[in-house]
Amino acid sequence: MKNVAVTIPNLIQGISQQPDAQKDPSQGEIQVNGVSSIAEGLRKRDSSRTLAKVSTSPFGDAFFHTILRDQQEEYLSVITNTSVQVFDLEGNAVQVTADTGAFNYLSTVTDARQQIRAVTIADYTFVTNTLTATATDTATAPETARPYPHECLIWVKQAVYGNRYSLNVNGTGVTVDTPVAAVVTSGSTVVENRISSEDIADALMTGIAGVVTTTRVGSVIWARSNSPITVAATDAKSNATITAILGQVQAFTELPTIAPEGYQIEITGDPGTNFDNYYVEFEPRSGSFGEGGWAETVSPGVEYKLQAATMPHVLIRKSDGTFWFGSVNGQTVSGIPSDVPEWGKRVSGDYETSPDPSFVGYAINDIFIYKNRLGLLADENVVLSRVREFFEFFPETVTTVLDTDPIDVIASNNRVSVLRYAVPYQDELILFSSQIQFRFNAAETVLTPATAQITVLTQFDVDTGVRPQQAGGGIFFMQSNGQWSQMREFAVRGAGTALTADAADLTGYVSSYIPDDCFKLTVNDTGSAAFIISGKTNYTNRIYTYKWFLRNSGGGVERAQNSWSYWDFAADEVLQVV
């Protein structure tokens, strides 16, 4: 057997499971507690240091989330199905006050690492249980009940000479005839006749006294009753001077400028379609019945708000530095400026013109921020809030589509594609299902309900137990074959018709190295390193590390370093990497 002398320039490429003949000279078989550095070569990893002992017993089934408020305030939250704990990075516990019944939302969690998601925006951390289906509240509009179940308006639009005003309410009729002219001369007698719409309305109201309860302001009569009302108002001028309004009119211009507070009417628009119907509610300038204006509102009898107990909850940092955990229900909590927010209500339309957000009825799989909107993934749907209004998922109006309105689109494909993660990437979103990767972006420069689109990019299997992470110019994501895990780097190249997407295998030569049951992938772009932890028995004391280095070459960018190894923490179980 001959001795072969080989020069090994360095040991910066980590380990390889390939046969010796195929290994790079700078790769080894085992590398534990080392760091592969382009500048320093292979060295020992930095030592670990105990900051504080935060618990005398294991946390058990817990989800860990890092809250990076700013450079001065950084926290680690520990979320289980019965508690939320917060620690600063020096190990000091921070007080958390939970709202009554807050943990009912998390009570179904049996695997916190896989079933809880969280995202932090300033002082708010949104926490979602991926097992809890969202729902609407059973309360129906109007939010404030009308004083009587049946009501109508009688409006004398104009006082006209030589006219007959007729009104019939529940079978009781009354007629008011006006003089033929303002001045009538009979021989030497001159009679001056003064008429007004208010006087005509008053006479009509007197004629139906006792049939229904009535009140008049100006020339508008408000009639109401506990029993159904039948009403007919006619005149001798083709009904141009009087009208009776029960629940709907065809055009907005048919409405009076005087009405009781909260009175609701449907504007039917084109009789051939239901999609231009909308509802308005009267808002007097003062008092409960008087002059004012009509504002768009939600249809009576329609459920108008989301059920806060089934929606993502919030962990809020209070002004005194402590935290509060509960549902987004609009309640007043000391130390939270402007109170706890409230999920936006349906403020216009009905189930057809302002449908429920498509996440209703489904569990929220992921929660994220994209272009000043709060985003939710549910089933195959992507739902984004209004711009800069994170709690609003209903449109402001149904009479037109605003650029700031919520966005609600579905990832259509010939296979069921339940969306699990959304990752910002190059001014777009990459959506991950278990088998398909989608691109969510705007067809034009501005993201609006009209320009939002979803297209299929690649079809790689994904381990949905690990959140993909953006890393430099790509996105790292995990795969699992049931025993071992692999990592790929998703990337998009080119633009327009020349756009291509692929996911390069970063573990091709260590395919049986990283155990399955991984639950955490963290990327440090500054150090060009990725860290993976697994919950598999006998591997929970390890952090698998990946080091890379990219450099420019004549044909573009090449990966000059591709190093895998692991750090061993002996008897300690690794719970989180930040």
Side-chain angles (χ1 to χ4, degrees):
M1 186 176 188
K2 295 192 300 182
N3 292 325
V4 179
V6 178
T7 301
I8 299 177
N10 52 50
L11 291 171
I12 64 169
Q13 299 293 355
I15 71 105
S16 172
Q17 294 178 321
Q18 295 173 298
D20 289 343
Q22 297 178 9
K23 286 181 182 176
D24 187 280
S26 57
Q27 290 178 321
E29 291 186 8
I30 300 173
Q31 181 174 312
V32 181
N33 292 330
V35 174
S36 301
S37 169
I38 287 287
E40 302 174 85
L42 178 62
R43 63 176 177 81
K44 290 183 64 177
R45 70 170 175 87
D46 295 331
S47 62
S48 57
R49 180 166 58 93
T50 300
L51 298 178
K53 186 174 184 178
V54 298
S55 177
T56 57
S57 59
F59 287 117
D61 182 32
F63 173 81
F64 297 85
H65 175 70
T66 306
I67 301 173
L68 304 177
R69 184 174 184 267
D70 53 40
Q71 292 183 343
Q72 284 70 45
E73 287 190 64
E74 299 177 339
Y75 305 94
L76 182 68
S77 60
V78 183
I79 305 171
T80 71
N81 60 4
T82 58
S83 69
V84 173
Q85 300 177 72
V86 175
F87 304 92
D88 63 26
L89 295 193
E90 294 181 355
N92 302 308
V94 182
Q95 179 183 334
V96 178
T97 303
D99 191 23
T100 303
F103 293 107
N104 292 339
Y105 177 67
L106 299 174
S107 62
T108 57
V109 170
T110 56
D111 185 350
R113 290 170 175 170
Q114 302 298 329
Q115 296 165 358
I116 294 177
R117 302 278 188 268
V119 63
T120 297
I121 309 159
D123 288 335
Y124 289 76
T125 296
F126 292 84
V127 179
T128 184
N129 175 1
T130 61
L131 299 181
T132 298
T134 58
T136 54
D137 196 283
T138 56
T140 57
E143 190 168 356
T144 302
R146 302 297 297 151
Y148 288 84
H150 305 281
E151 53 189 342
C152 75
L153 299 178
I154 299 104
W155 177 24
V156 180
K157 298 180 178 181
Q158 186 180 6
V160 176
Y161 290 99
N163 194 15
R164 168 168 285 187
Y165 297 84
S166 299
L167 178 64
N168 188 296
V169 177
N170 290 353
T172 298
V174 57
T175 300
V176 175
D177 292 317
T178 58
V180 294
V183 178
V184 177
T185 303
S186 178
S188 60
T189 305
V190 177
V191 179
E192 185 176 333
N193 301 302
R194 295 180 181 274
I195 62 173
S196 70
S197 56
E198 289 85 354
D199 291 339
I200 297 169
D202 194 58
L204 293 173
M205 187 175 70
T206 301
I208 59 172
V211 179
V212 291
T213 301
T214 57
T215 306
R216 180 184 65 83
V217 172
S219 62
V220 176
I221 302 169
W222 175 26
R224 57 264 191 210
S225 173
N226 289 319
S227 302
I229 297 175
T230 59
V231 61
T234 60
D235 62 21
K237 305 293 182 181
S238 301
N239 300 333
T241 61
I242 187 172
T243 187
I245 302 170
L246 277 169
Q248 58 183 218
V249 297
Q250 187 170 352
F252 185 82
T253 54
E254 298 176 32
L255 298 174
T257 58
I258 296 173
E261 181 181 15
Y263 196 96
Q264 295 185 348
I265 293 176
E266 179 184 9
I267 311 298
T268 59
D270 184 353
T273 176
N274 290 330
F275 289 98
D276 61 352
N277 295 29
Y278 65 99
Y279 298 80
V280 291
E281 180 178 278
F282 196 77
E283 299 175 353
R285 285 195 288 268
S286 63
S288 59
F289 185 14
E291 290 190 351
W294 298 89
E296 202 172 346
T297 191
V298 64
S299 167
V302 169
E303 294 175 353
Y304 62 92
K305 60 183 179 179
L306 300 170
Q307 192 176 87
T310 66
M311 292 290 291
H313 284 32
V314 286
L315 178 65
I316 304 176
R317 180 193 175 277
K318 298 166 64 176
S319 56
D320 62 0
T322 64
F323 287 81
W324 178 90
F325 178 72
S327 63
V328 181
N329 57 13
Q331 66 176 295
T332 299
V333 175
S334 176
I336 299 179
S338 303
D339 301 331
V340 175
E342 184 176 17
W343 294 111
K345 301 173 183 177
R346 195 193 318 264
V347 294
S348 60
D350 53 24
Y351 296 126
E352 285 187 282
T353 57
S354 177
D356 291 337
S358 60
F359 60 68
V360 172
Y362 296 99
I364 303 300
N365 292 329
D366 198 14
I367 187 167
F368 57 94
I369 296 296
Y370 181 61
K371 291 189 179 295
N372 256 338
R373 300 174 184 261
L374 180 68
L376 305 175
L377 299 186
D379 196 58
E380 298 180 297
N381 306 294
V382 185
V383 187
L384 275 70
S385 71
R386 295 184 203 164
V387 176
R388 293 188 298 275
E389 297 183 78
F390 294 158
F391 302 94
E392 298 287 348
F393 288 93
F394 290 102
E396 293 183 61
T397 174
V398 298
T399 60
T400 187
V401 178
L402 304 176
D403 287 350
T404 56
D405 275 347
I407 296 173
D408 197 328
V409 291
I410 185 170
S412 299
N413 193 260
N414 57 1
R415 289 188 288 178
V416 175
S417 302
V418 177
L419 302 176
R420 300 297 183 183
Y421 298 102
V423 182
Y425 177 74
Q426 296 182 359
D427 201 40
E428 301 174 341
L429 276 180
I430 303 301
L431 308 175
F432 287 83
S433 72
S434 60
Q435 295 179 309
I436 302 176
Q437 294 74 55
F438 297 89
R439 176 194 192 195
F440 176 87
N441 65 349
E444 300 173 7
T445 55
V446 179
L447 180 66
T448 70
T451 63
Q453 61 180 9
I454 295 180
T455 53
V456 175
L457 286 180
T458 54
Q459 300 188 33
F460 289 94
D461 288 343
V462 176
D463 181 355
T464 58
V466 188
R467 171 178 287 279
Q469 297 289 338
Q470 186 169 0
I475 298 174
F476 291 170
F477 68 91
M478 303 300 295
Q479 295 179 312
S480 175
N481 61 16
Q483 184 176 4
W484 303 102
S485 294
Q486 291 78 42
M487 189 168 79
R488 286 183 176 269
E489 181 186 29
F490 173 91
V492 175
R493 305 285 185 258
T497 57
L499 183 144
T500 59
D502 200 1
D505 187 358
L506 302 178
T507 51
Y509 55 87
V510 286
S511 57
S512 302
Y513 187 63
I514 307 169
D516 67 350
D517 197 21
C518 295
F519 63 88
K520 182 64 179 180
L521 165 63
T522 298
V523 172
N524 180 345
D525 272 326
T526 303
S528 297
F531 306 93
I532 303 168
I533 49 180
S534 168
K536 189 170 185 177
T537 303
N538 298 326
Y539 296 92
T540 59
N541 62 335
R542 296 180 181 181
I543 298 178
Y544 286 84
T545 66
Y546 172 65
K547 286 277 292 178
W548 76 91
F549 181 76
L550 303 177
R551 68 182 175 195
N552 294 324
S553 65
V557 177
E558 67 174 6
R559 195 173 295 271
Q561 183 186 29
N562 209 44
S563 169
W564 284 100
S565 63
Y566 70 83
W567 298 346
D568 191 302
F569 290 85
D572 294 327
E573 179 182 358
V574 181
L575 302 177
Q576 174 75 331
V577 179
V578 298

